[in-house]
């Protein structure tokens, strides 16, 4: 068999090279083994008790240790206490170096020199991770922060530099309790709930490995959030019945935290956080209330105001923005790292203290007053000017309406409504006063305030005098049916209005033009009544606006609707009525003709008629219903009073009376005539005296003229002798 010499040479060279390499490695290993002074096999059992606290149980099997000399592991159990203490210190220092490298800037708790139990050395301790470990600001409460994030479903990334001292062969077992699981890791050694790394540095060639672990809670309090959760709760508060307050409560439960870009790099898998998370981030300085307002609250606020303005409410909201301090960091329990949820949600409020809430197209105050006055009504969604047309609101919304204490809507106060279940139901009061009939009173007074003698008729032989009649009628409305001139909303069931209810309607329900028509019609009825009483032609009556307006003044308390102070309407007229009389000198007598007046009872009213006579007269009268009573005023004037109650509606009292004048009355009546006669006599006397005086002056002037005719003559001629002596 032939051999290839060339191939043989090549094979020999390769064999030689391999032999040299192996010899070199053996020599290197042998030299390394000789240089290593300590040989330790260590097992690190590391259990996560929370996101920042770890429990360590370390077991060290010492094969060789060197202090002042080198000891083998089999010799350790027989050494002195002093030498054993030196071993413990040696192990402590080497262990400290490895732990500080592994848990960078962490706090090593209960770390002391390992204990020897006869077979090996053991160390039991805790590690608390710090802000420096996570490379975040020192102001952060790292325990609350990390554990709070984990409880919201976050994944926390950890990086540990696993170190083995020269001569140490370390096994690192990271153990997870049932409530913590790993999300990912960079090792393939996984045994149930334990992840393992090995750092074999017994030869001094492998000093460290980088361990990466991502953890999360098995069942975090908050998990599976996939969207923001922001609600609007509208509050309509009518308890201060003179004004209605609108509050739009922006209630934030879950927030898109990715919009803020504030989470540290070691936090992943967290896109949305509950309200507790916002408080946690603000408390730890990663977020501010101003940023939260600008990014989350402000867009919600603008959309809400825009939607309300464009809805059936149709009014500009003058809103004041307020944080609800009971949902901020000032609340009793702003967040709990082991219970991160949205209770309480973060609330911000837009408040307008005076809005125009209308129900049945009248103010809420008017409706409350009418309900308190005995009304009831059934409200449909279209009857209230709030809630309709909020389709432009991007968020779910609901509402609460607060009424004064005794007002109930569908048996509830407050009443809650939602987008899908709008406001509807019967509104009533459990403390209202209901009336079953009208209570009105009318007082009509005919005052014969003056008498004037008709001089012309007196001198032509048909003596009469004019009676000046001042007539006023006061109507007092305590309880009344709704006057025909007015309309209240059709759905409001109220047959009778108390005086307060009538005042309220005059203020807020009735049309001003209808009020004017009502007063004009009342005045027309007054005129017709007077024409019927006096059996005379048309008269002009007037309404005393001052009396009416004064009677409408009240305390405005719609929760106390009563009839105690009536609404008053006063009508008045001034007319002149002629009446004849006969007069004789002997015997001195003045006989005034009879007058007949017709008085009628009014429907559902108590009516009082009064005829007030002049001073100085007495009266004789007769009436068919015997209702007339003669009375006297404090100043001595006589008057006849006739009263009708509700049951006398339609009855007519025919009153015939005769005034009997006294001497003083007659003198007073004829006083103008007497004064005129005296003045005439005085004028005649004055004229006569003036004429007489003028005649005497003419005679004197004539005599003086004769004497003066000789003036300028040179001689004197005596006057002629008188004609007689």
């Amino acid at each position: 068999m032939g051999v290839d010499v060339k191939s043989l040479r090549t094979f020999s060279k390769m064999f030689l090279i391999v032999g040299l390499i192996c010899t070199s490695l053996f020599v290197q290993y042998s030299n390394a083994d000789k240089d290593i002074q300590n040989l330790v096999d260590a097992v690190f059992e590391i259990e996560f008790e929370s996101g920042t606290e770890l429990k360590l149980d370390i077991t060290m099997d010492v094969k060789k240790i060197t202090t002042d000399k080198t000891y083998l592991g089999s010799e350790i159990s027989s050494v002195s206490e002093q030498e054993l203490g030196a071993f413990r210190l040696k192990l402590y220092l080497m262990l400290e170096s490895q732990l500080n490298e592994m848990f960078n800037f962490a706090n090593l708790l209960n770390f002391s020199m390992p204990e020897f139990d006869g077979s090996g050395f053991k160390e039991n301790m805790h590690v608390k991770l710090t802000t420096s470990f996570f490379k975040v600001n020192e102001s952060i409460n790292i325990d609350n922060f990390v554990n709070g994030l984990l409880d919201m479903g976050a994944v926390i990334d950890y990086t540990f530099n696993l170190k083995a001292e020269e001569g140490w062969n370390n096994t690192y077992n990271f153990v997870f309790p049932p409530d913590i699981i790993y999300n990912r890791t960079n090792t393939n050694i996984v045994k149930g709930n334990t992840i393992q790394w090995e750092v074999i540095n017994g030869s001094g060639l492998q000093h460290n490995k980088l361990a990466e672990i991502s953890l999360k809670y098995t069942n975090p309090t908050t998990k599976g959030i996939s969207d923001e959760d922001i609600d609007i709760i509208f509050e309509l508060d009518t308890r201060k019945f003179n004004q209605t307050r609108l509050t739009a409560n922006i209630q934030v439960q879950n927030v898109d935290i990715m919009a803020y870009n504030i989470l540290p790099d070691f936090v992943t898998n967290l896109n949305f956080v509950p309200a507790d998370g916002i408080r946690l981030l603000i408390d730890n300085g990663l977020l501010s209330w101003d940023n939260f307002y600008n990014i989350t609250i402000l867009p919600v606020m603008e959309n809400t105001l825009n939607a309300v303005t464009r809805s059936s409410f149709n009014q500009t909201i003058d809103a004041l923005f307020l944080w609800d301090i009971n949902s901020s960091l000032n609340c009793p329990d702003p967040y709990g790292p082991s219970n991160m949820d949205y209770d309480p949600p973060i609330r911000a409020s837009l408040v307008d203290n005076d809005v125009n809430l209308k129900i049945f197209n009248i103010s809420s105050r008017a409706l409350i007053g009418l309900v308190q006055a005995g009304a009831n009504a059934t409200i449909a969604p279209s009857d209230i000017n709030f809630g309709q047309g909020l389709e432009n609101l991007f968020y779910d919304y609901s509402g609460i309406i607060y009424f004064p204490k005794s007002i109930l809507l569908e048996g509830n106060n407050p009443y809650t409504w939602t987008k899908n279940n709008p406001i509807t139901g019967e509104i009533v009061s459990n403390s209202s006063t209901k009336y079953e009939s009208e209570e009105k009173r009318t007082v009509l007074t005919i005052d014969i305030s003056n008498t004037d003698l008709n001089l012309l008729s007196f001198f032509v032989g048909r003596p009469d005098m004019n009676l000046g009649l001042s007539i006023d009628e006061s109507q007092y409305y305590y309880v009344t049916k709704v006057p025909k001139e007015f309309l209240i909303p059709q759905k409001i069931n109220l047959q009778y209005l108390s005086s307060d209810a009538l005042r309220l309607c005059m203020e807020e329900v009735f049309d001003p033009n209808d009020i004017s028509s009502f007063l004009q019609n009342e005045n027309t009825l007054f005129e017709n009544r007077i024409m019927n009483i006096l059996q005379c032609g048309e008269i002009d009556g007037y309404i005393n606006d001052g009396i009416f307006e004064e009677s409408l003044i009240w305390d405005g308390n719609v929760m106390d609707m009563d009839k105690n102070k009536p609404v008053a309407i006063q009508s008045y007229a001034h007319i002149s009525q002629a009446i004849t009389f006969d007069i004789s000198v002997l015997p001195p007598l003045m006989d005034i003709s009879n007058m007949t007046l017709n008085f009628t009872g009014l429907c559902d009213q108590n009516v009082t008629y009064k005829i007030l006579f002049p001073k100085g007269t007495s009266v004789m009268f007769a009436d068919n219903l015997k209702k007339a009573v003669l009375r006297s005023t404090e100043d001595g004037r006589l008057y006849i009073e006739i009263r009708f109650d509700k049951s006398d509606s339609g009855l007519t009292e025919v009153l015939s009376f005769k005034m009997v004048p006294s001497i003083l009355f007659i003198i007073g009546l004829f006083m103008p005539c007497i004064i005129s006669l005296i003045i005439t006599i005085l004028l005649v006397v004055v004229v006569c005296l003036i004429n007489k005086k003028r005649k005497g002056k003419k005679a004197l002037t004539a005599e003086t003229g004769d004497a003066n005719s000789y003036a300028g003559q040179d001689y004197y001629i005596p006057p002629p002798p008188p004609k007689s002596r």
Side-chain angles (χ1 to χ4, degrees):
M1 163 174 187
V3 178
D4 186 348
V5 177
K6 186 177 181 180
S7 297
L8 184 60
R9 289 177 178 175
T10 302
F11 177 77
S12 298
K13 289 179 179 179
M14 291 179 62
F15 182 79
L16 181 61
I17 292 171
V18 170
L20 290 172
I21 293 173
C22 290
T23 302
S24 174
L25 289 174
F26 176 77
V27 172
Q28 182 179 0
Y29 177 80
S30 298
N31 292 335
D33 187 50
K34 291 179 181 179
D35 293 336
I36 294 175
Q37 297 180 346
N38 304 288
L39 288 175
V40 179
D41 291 339
V43 177
F44 292 75
E45 296 286 335
I46 306 168
E47 181 179 357
F48 279 89
E49 293 185 333
S50 71
T52 57
E53 295 184 3
L54 300 92
K55 177 184 176 184
L56 275 69
D57 293 325
I58 307 170
T59 302
M60 291 160 283
D61 183 11
V62 178
K63 304 295 184 181
K64 184 175 68 171
I65 188 167
T66 300
T67 55
D68 55 340
K69 67 177 184 176
T70 299
Y71 297 85
L72 296 177
S74 58
E75 298 176 318
I76 295 176
S77 59
S78 60
V79 300
S80 66
E81 287 294 329
Q82 183 178 0
E83 290 172 324
L84 184 61
F87 297 162
R88 293 173 62 201
L89 178 59
K90 181 73 173 183
L91 291 173
Y92 173 83
L93 294 175
M94 289 189 291
L95 193 59
E96 182 182 38
S97 173
Q98 296 172 89
L99 291 175
N100 285 333
E101 186 71 24
M102 179 180 177
F103 302 108
N104 193 21
F105 300 109
N107 293 326
L108 305 180
L109 307 177
N110 304 319
F111 180 40
S112 61
M113 291 190 298
E115 297 290 337
F116 181 70
D117 63 358
S119 60
F121 291 89
K122 298 184 183 298
E123 177 72 45
N124 303 114
M125 59 178 295
H126 284 79
V127 173
K128 187 176 181 63
L129 303 181
T130 63
T131 56
S132 297
F133 175 86
F134 288 102
K135 298 177 182 178
V136 294
N137 194 292
E138 292 183 359
S139 63
I140 293 177
N141 184 326
I142 199 65
D143 293 335
N144 289 345
F145 184 67
V146 171
N147 293 316
L149 293 175
L150 285 168
D151 198 48
M152 294 185 289
V155 173
I156 303 298
D157 296 334
Y158 297 84
T159 300
F160 302 102
N161 186 18
L162 305 180
K163 179 184 177 182
E165 285 281 324
E166 188 177 68
W168 285 60
N169 296 317
N170 293 345
T171 299
Y172 293 94
N173 295 323
F174 285 85
V175 183
F176 305 103
D179 58 338
I180 298 178
I181 59 175
Y182 75 92
N183 187 62
R184 67 173 182 83
T185 182
N186 64 344
T187 183
N188 293 324
I189 307 175
V190 178
K191 301 175 183 179
N193 67 334
T194 302
I195 301 174
Q196 187 180 93
W197 281 268
E198 291 181 343
V199 183
I200 307 300
N201 197 25
S203 62
L205 298 177
Q206 185 184 16
H207 294 283
N208 66 297
K209 279 185 180 180
L210 204 62
E212 296 178 353
I213 309 174
S214 296
L215 302 182
K216 63 180 182 179
Y217 277 181
T218 306
N219 291 300
T221 301
T222 300
K223 59 183 177 180
I225 302 176
S226 59
D227 201 358
E228 283 192 322
D229 189 355
I230 299 176
D231 297 334
I232 310 299
I233 300 176
F234 295 104
E235 293 182 6
L236 293 166
D237 193 344
T238 66
R239 287 174 292 187
K240 290 183 179 180
F241 45 79
N242 287 327
Q243 60 184 32
T244 298
R245 182 177 66 188
L246 170 64
T247 303
N249 294 307
I250 301 171
Q251 184 167 274
V252 181
Q253 299 183 93
N254 301 322
V255 178
D256 179 7
I257 199 61
M258 299 304 293
Y260 292 85
N261 192 28
I262 58 173
L263 294 179
D265 292 337
F266 66 85
V267 181
T268 59
N269 195 45
L270 188 63
N271 297 330
F272 300 92
V273 299
D276 280 2
I278 295 298
R279 286 185 282 263
L280 172 69
L281 293 170
I282 292 175
D283 194 28
N284 285 281
L286 278 78
L287 180 63
S288 69
W289 287 111
D290 287 341
N291 286 341
F292 183 65
Y293 170 82
N294 290 324
I295 294 177
T296 296
I297 298 297
L298 183 59
V300 179
M301 182 178 73
E302 291 175 344
N303 175 246
T304 301
L305 293 176
N306 183 60
V308 171
T309 301
R310 294 186 179 184
S311 71
S312 57
F313 206 49
N314 193 29
Q315 54 190 286
T316 301
I317 307 300
D318 185 14
L320 173 66
F321 178 83
L322 299 170
W323 287 110
D324 183 353
I325 61 173
N326 292 321
S327 69
S328 67
L329 291 174
N330 293 324
C331 66
D333 187 16
Y335 61 86
S338 61
N339 187 29
M340 299 294 290
D341 57 20
Y342 54 77
D343 184 22
I346 295 175
R347 288 184 294 268
S349 300
L350 301 172
V351 182
D352 190 334
N353 287 313
D354 192 5
V355 297
N356 185 18
L357 177 65
K358 288 193 173 183
I359 306 175
F360 304 121
N361 205 33
I362 63 175
S363 71
S364 57
R365 173 178 180 267
L367 177 63
I368 290 169
L370 293 178
V371 170
Q372 197 65 18
N376 62 76
T378 299
I379 300 176
S382 58
D383 294 324
I384 185 169
N385 71 334
F386 193 91
Q388 302 297 303
L390 289 176
E391 292 79 10
N392 293 324
L393 195 59
F394 298 154
Y395 309 93
D396 288 336
Y397 65 88
S398 60
I400 302 173
I401 184 167
Y402 297 91
F403 294 104
K405 186 175 181 180
S406 61
I407 305 295
L408 302 174
L409 177 56
E410 202 62 15
N412 297 300
N413 184 10
Y415 176 88
T416 302
W417 51 276
T418 65
K419 179 179 180 179
N420 298 322
N421 295 287
I423 299 175
T424 183
E426 183 182 30
I427 184 169
V428 297
S429 170
N430 57 21
S431 65
S432 64
T433 302
K434 296 185 178 181
Y435 301 95
E436 303 296 334
S437 62
E438 288 190 308
E439 294 181 34
K440 294 191 288 187
R441 182 167 63 91
T442 298
V443 177
L444 191 150
T445 301
I446 302 175
D447 182 2
I448 306 175
S449 55
N450 59 74
T451 54
D452 295 321
L453 182 64
N454 189 334
L455 294 176
L456 180 62
S457 63
F458 177 75
F459 287 115
V460 298
R462 296 192 303 274
D464 64 33
M465 60 181 174
N466 295 321
L467 302 180
L469 306 180
S470 296
I471 306 171
D472 70 76
E473 177 185 80
S474 296
Q475 297 186 73
Y476 301 99
Y477 288 75
Y478 295 91
V479 180
T480 181
K481 289 182 178 179
V482 179
K484 61 182 179 60
E485 293 86 357
F486 301 124
L487 293 174
I488 61 174
Q490 188 175 3
K491 287 190 174 182
I492 297 178
N493 180 23
L494 182 62
Q495 187 175 1
Y496 295 96
L497 298 175
S498 66
S499 57
D500 282 349
L502 182 59
R503 267 185 282 269
L504 178 62
C505 288
M506 294 284 186
E507 287 180 1
E508 300 200 30
V509 179
F510 298 154
D511 187 283
N513 292 329
D514 293 338
I515 297 176
S516 297
S517 298
F518 168 69
L519 294 176
Q520 184 58 48
N521 291 338
E522 289 298 303
N523 187 60
T524 300
L525 291 174
F526 165 71
E527 292 173 343
N528 292 335
R529 227 172 346 260
I530 298 305
M531 288 187 289
N532 179 67
I533 291 172
L534 299 178
Q535 298 296 305
C536 64
E538 291 188 2
I539 66 169
D540 292 326
Y542 304 93
I543 294 290
N544 190 329
D545 294 328
I547 296 295
F548 174 68
E549 291 171 1
E550 183 179 353
S551 73
L552 296 181
I553 299 173
W554 63 312
D555 60 8
N557 185 0
V558 297
M559 296 306 298
D560 185 19
M561 304 291 285
D562 58 43
K563 62 177 182 178
N564 297 335
K565 178 185 175 183
V567 174
I569 300 175
Q570 186 182 65
S571 303
Y572 64 93
H574 297 284
I575 63 175
S576 179
Q577 185 86 354
I579 185 171
T580 61
F581 63 88
D582 291 326
I583 189 167
S584 63
V585 178
L586 292 174
L589 179 65
M590 181 178 179
D591 185 22
I592 301 173
S593 300
N594 287 349
M595 285 188 68
T596 300
L597 305 179
N598 300 316
F599 300 100
T600 303
L602 303 180
C603 180
D604 294 326
Q605 291 194 48
N606 294 318
V607 187
T608 300
Y609 295 100
K610 294 181 180 180
I611 307 97
L612 193 60
F613 299 101
K615 278 188 175 182
T617 62
S618 58
V619 62
M620 296 183 297
F621 65 91
D623 61 309
N624 59 323
L625 298 179
K626 307 303 180 184
K627 290 181 174 292
V629 178
L630 185 64
R631 301 183 186 278
S632 175
T633 64
E634 292 182 356
D635 61 353
R637 295 180 66 184
L638 296 177
Y639 67 94
I640 294 175
E641 183 177 271
I642 300 170
R643 294 190 176 187
F644 293 93
D645 57 30
K646 293 181 179 180
S647 62
D648 296 328
S649 175
L651 294 180
T652 299
E653 167 85 315
V654 179
L655 175 68
S656 178
F657 65 88
K658 176 193 286 287
M659 291 188 295
V660 180
S662 65
I663 294 297
L664 290 177
F665 178 82
I666 296 173
I667 293 173
L669 179 64
F670 283 93
M671 184 60 68
C673 184
I674 296 172
I675 292 174
S676 298
L677 182 59
I678 293 173
I679 291 173
T680 302
I681 294 172
L682 289 175
L683 288 174
V684 171
V685 170
V686 170
V687 169
C688 291
L689 290 175
I690 290 173
N691 288 336
K692 184 176 181 182
K693 187 174 181 180
R694 284 180 178 175
K695 289 179 180 180
K697 187 174 181 180
K698 287 180 180 180
L700 180 59
T701 301
E703 293 179 356
T704 305
D706 291 340
N708 290 338
S709 60
Y710 293 100
Q713 301 297 328
D714 293 333
Y715 54 89
Y716 171 73
I717 300 176
K723 295 179 179 181
S724 62
R725 295 281 182 184

